[in-house]
Amino acid sequence: MRRSLLRGIGICVLVLLGLESGYGLDRTWIGGNVDWVDAGAATNWNPNDEPDADDRAIFNSANGVNLGSNNTVNGLALSGGIDLNTNGFEIGGASTNLFIGGAAGSIDSDDVTINSSGVIELAGGTLAMDEEVGTALLDINSGGTLQGHGVIDFVDLPGVATTVLVNDGTLTALSR
């Protein structure tokens, strides 16, 4: 009886450990100033594995990184002077959140699309929409959310009437 109970506890512990490893990990960019391409060099990340749909991608160094393909992550953290250029590609994934915090915190972007279950939260920061050629577009799709308190700055000066904001999702002012 005691041996069965111990074996049962051992199996439960192994199952729990297996479930624990199913959750994503933090993957921190250490690749310097190179492109991030899906299924690219795992050595650009610490630990040595590119983030995927169940991991959080962390960029916390003063580098310039360009997307070279669409990438799917579970979370995204940007700090430390990183310049992450989407280059027309997407970073997406279930519950992907981008927090723009502090009075000095800002994101300067050509176009921003917030898809279903994606969130951009302004926590005192600035989202500057600035397209070099043409006019920037902020597109909040159904199920997407732009929330918080801060500044949304449409920098462009279009010469003709044009759409700069499409809101099919949720736009909420709040302060935590």
Side-chain angles (χ1 to χ4, degrees), residues 7-154:
R7 188 173 346 142
I9 291 171
I11 290 171
C12 287
V13 169
L14 288 175
V15 168
L16 290 174
L17 288 174
L19 290 175
E20 181 66 26
S21 67
Y23 296 117
L25 297 173
D26 288 346
R27 307 286 183 195
T28 303
W29 179 259
I30 57 171
N33 298 314
V34 299
D35 293 349
W36 174 20
V37 179
D38 189 41
T43 57
N44 290 334
W45 299 94
N46 183 27
N48 192 13
D49 184 25
E50 179 186 9
D52 53 30
D54 63 349
D55 297 320
R56 182 169 67 144
I58 300 172
F59 293 87
N60 60 5
S61 58
N63 293 112
V65 178
N66 295 307
L67 288 185
S69 64
N70 293 331
N71 291 274
T72 301
V73 296
N74 191 26
L76 178 64
L78 306 171
S79 65
I82 189 73
D83 291 329
L84 181 60
N85 184 345
T86 61
N87 267 349
F89 294 104
E90 294 181 4
I91 298 176
S95 303
T96 301
N97 301 309
L98 172 60
F99 297 91
I100 307 171
S106 69
I107 297 289
D108 189 346
S109 182
D110 293 346
D111 293 310
V112 171
T113 301
I114 306 170
N115 287 318
S116 181
S117 73
V119 176
I120 291 181
E121 181 169 329
L122 295 170
T126 300
L127 175 60
M129 303 300 301
D130 186 11
E131 173 67 62
E132 291 80 19
V133 178
T135 304
L137 175 66
L138 174 56
D139 186 3
I140 308 168
N141 288 320
S142 177
T145 303
L146 175 60
Q147 65 187 22
H149 66 283
V151 175
I152 302 169
D153 187 2
F154 292 93

